[in-house]
Amino acid sequence: MSTLYVEQPWTAMSLLFRPHYRVEVFDEQDAPVAVVRERTGPGLQRPLRHTGFSGWTTFDLDVVAPHGQPIMHISKGFGRRPEVRVSTPQGQLIGTIKTHGAWQQSLHDANGQKLCLFGDIARIETGRRAKRGGRRVRRDVVQINPQVTEPLRSLATACAVAFDVVRGTGTSHTSSGGVDWPV
């Protein structure tokens, strides 16, 4: 399995006041792989991002390599469970991700044909706590089968690096019921 570590700040301020989606991705050797960030801010949806409705808002994410080269684009429309579109930096559709429950996502090619479930080719463990550079982070550990080829590899990676968006949680972690304890 290929392992990715998807990390985001995990402090009281990030739990309560983080309306922007931003994560950093590292490989098994702890080398930076990518940064996932919003293209634009939440705008008028900002108040919703501070509530349990954060996952209903639109997201327009760029996945960028550490040196700044765009890798892919991930977008989700407004609503409870709209499909998530994954495209190349040039805008060519790679495929879509559909959520059928918080822990079940199906991966579809550019023509809408269902290829498989995310869990068929990858495993994700969310919510670990760790430290990176002296800061507390939430670390999701993702293992993707190394034999997986395109477009599944890109779709599984997109699902993993934007998992809170894909499963409908968004940026609000206060509605999850968890309490943040120091690492």
Side-chain angles (χ1 to χ4, degrees):
M1 291 280 192
S2 300
T3 303
L4 295 175
Y5 299 98
V6 182
E7 298 178 349
Q8 60 183 284
W10 196 257
T11 64
M13 294 303 282
S14 71
L15 286 170
L16 298 173
F17 302 111
R18 191 176 79 111
H20 292 71
Y21 189 82
R22 180 174 163 74
V23 299
E24 295 178 350
V25 184
F26 299 88
D27 67 12
E28 295 165 321
Q29 286 76 41
D30 211 30
V33 174
V35 173
V36 183
R37 61 179 182 234
E38 288 196 61
R39 266 186 197 201
T40 60
L44 296 174
Q45 300 178 100
R46 186 180 184 99
L48 285 177
R49 291 278 181 95
H50 296 292
T51 71
F53 290 105
S54 176
W56 289 53
T57 63
T58 61
F59 285 88
D60 193 20
L61 308 174
D62 280 326
V63 181
V64 182
H67 50 77
Q69 178 183 359
I71 298 172
M72 72 176 69
H73 181 71
I74 304 167
S75 62
K76 181 189 92 54
F78 189 84
R80 176 82 174 124
R81 289 200 174 118
E83 71 181 15
V84 174
R85 297 174 54 83
V86 180
S87 56
T88 66
Q90 298 76 28
Q92 181 181 0
L93 184 65
I94 297 170
T96 59
I97 304 166
K98 294 180 182 175
T99 296
H100 308 283
W103 297 99
Q104 187 176 40
Q105 294 75 31
S106 57
L107 309 178
H108 302 256
D109 67 15
N111 298 318
Q113 179 72 34
K114 181 179 174 181
L115 301 172
C116 68
L117 295 175
F118 176 68
D120 294 340
I121 59 170
R123 289 190 313 234
I124 187 166
E125 183 181 328
T126 63
R128 285 189 182 178
R129 306 297 189 276
K131 282 200 173 191
R132 168 131 354 242
R135 299 179 340 203
R136 292 184 327 182
V137 296
R138 182 186 107 181
R139 177 178 289 160
D140 296 346
V141 180
V142 182
Q143 294 180 313
I144 300 173
N145 185 328
Q147 285 81 32
V148 171
T149 59
E150 292 299 331
L152 280 175
R153 178 160 291 286
S154 290
L155 291 170
T157 301
C159 188
V161 301
F163 196 65
D164 288 340
V165 170
V166 171
R167 71 179 174 155
T169 313
T171 59
S172 173
H173 297 285
T174 56
S175 62
S176 65
V179 176
D180 184 34
W181 299 103
V183 174

